[in-house]
Amino acid sequence: SQTIHQWPATLVQPVGSPLSLECTVEGTSNPNLYWYRQAAGRGLQLLFYSVGIGQISSEVPQNLSASRPQDRQFILSSKKLLLSDSGFYLCAWSGTSESETQYFGPGTRLLVL
Amino acid sequence: KQEVTQIPAALSVPEGENLVLNCSFTDSAIYNLQWFRQDPGKGLTSLLLIQSSQREQTSGRLNASLDKSSGRSTLYIAASQPGDSATYLCAVMDSNYQLIWGAGTKLIIKP
C-alpha cells in the first residue's frame, strides 16, 4: 500500500532563517506530487506541483521554492522565512491520471517568529 | 476564476441526527468534485469523489450529490456519531486539473 511521510511535524523558526520541509512517498512510482499551504479558516492553496523528477510548476509567486531530486521525494525550501510563511503545509500525491484523487501526508505546522 | 464556498462554516448537532453539508462553485466546467475530511492538526482523507458525469456517490453513511449545472454539491451524513466530528472540505478539479478548495465546514457531533 502507498504511504506518504512528511517531516518535521512541527517547526518554529525565526524570521530570516532557511527552511527545508521534506515529503516522501512509498509504494508507488512516478506519482504527481503537490505542496499546499493551509491558513486558518481558508481553503488550501496550491504552492507547487511536480509531474516528474526535476519538473516543478509554481502556482503563486513567493519566497518559497520546491525541488524533486528523486521520483518519490519532494522538498519545500526557503532561503529566508517571512512571518507570512507561517501555516500548515501539506504534501500530497496522486496517480498520473490527472483526474484522480489526491492522498495527503500528515502535514507540517510551521510557525515563524 | 473558479471559487468554492462552503456553508455553514461550523455546525454542531446532537449525536444520531442526519445532516447536510453544502458546497457551491462558480464555474460548472469541472472534471470532478471531491469531499475530504480533516481531523485537527492532521492531513486530509478523501471521502468521496464524484466525476462530472455522475450525480452522486455513496460510502457507508455518507452520500455526496453533484448538480453541476447549478454549481452545487451536498454531503449527507446519516446517523451522525461523535467520531464524525472533523472539518469537511470540498474541492473541485478545474479545467486545468487543479483542485480548488473551499474553506471547510467544522462539524461537531455532541454525544
Side-chain angles (χ1 to χ4, degrees), chain A residues 22-63:
Chain A
E22 189 162 344
C23 171
T24 58
V25 181
E26 296 177 355
T28 186
S29 296
N30 196 30
N32 291 343
L33 296 172
Y34 309 83
W35 277 113
Y36 289 92
R37 178 167 55 206
Q38 185 178 33
R42 303 181 65 180
L44 275 70
Q45 180 186 36
L46 180 64
L47 302 175
F48 301 95
Y49 70 94
S50 170
V51 298
I53 296 175
Q55 301 178 61
I56 310 294
S57 297
S58 175
E59 290 300 303
V60 293
Q62 58 206 322
N63 71 320

Side-chain angles (χ1 to χ4, degrees), chain A residues 4 7 11-13 17 19-20 28 40 45 50 53 55 60 63 70 72-73 76-77 83 86 89 99 108 110:
Chain A
I4 179 169
W7 64 89
L11 189 60
V12 181
Q13 291 285 95
S17 64
L19 173 73
S20 180
T28 186
Q45 180 186 36
S50 170
I53 296 175
Q55 301 178 61
V60 293
N63 71 320
Q70 301 180 41
R72 290 169 287 179
Q73 183 184 29
L76 183 68
S77 304
L83 287 174
S86 294
Y89 288 83
S99 62
T108 294
L110 172 66

Side-chain angles (χ1 to χ4, degrees), chain B residues 67-96:
Chain B
D67 185 340
K68 200 171 68 166
S69 61
S70 67
R72 295 179 183 177
S73 174
T74 61
L75 178 66
Y76 175 82
I77 302 177
S80 59
Q81 303 170 358
D84 294 330
S85 298
T87 296
Y88 290 81
L89 295 160
C90 166
V92 298
M93 182 168 286
D94 69 8
S95 54
N96 295 314

Side-chain angles (χ1 to χ4, degrees), chain B residues 43-64:
Chain B
L44 280 67
T45 301
S46 178
L47 297 174
L48 292 164
L49 183 154
I50 311 176
Q51 300 292 354
S52 62
S53 59
Q54 297 174 326
R55 295 198 56 90
E56 66 175 353
Q57 282 287 329
T58 298
S59 175
R61 294 182 293 109
L62 305 179
N63 176 277

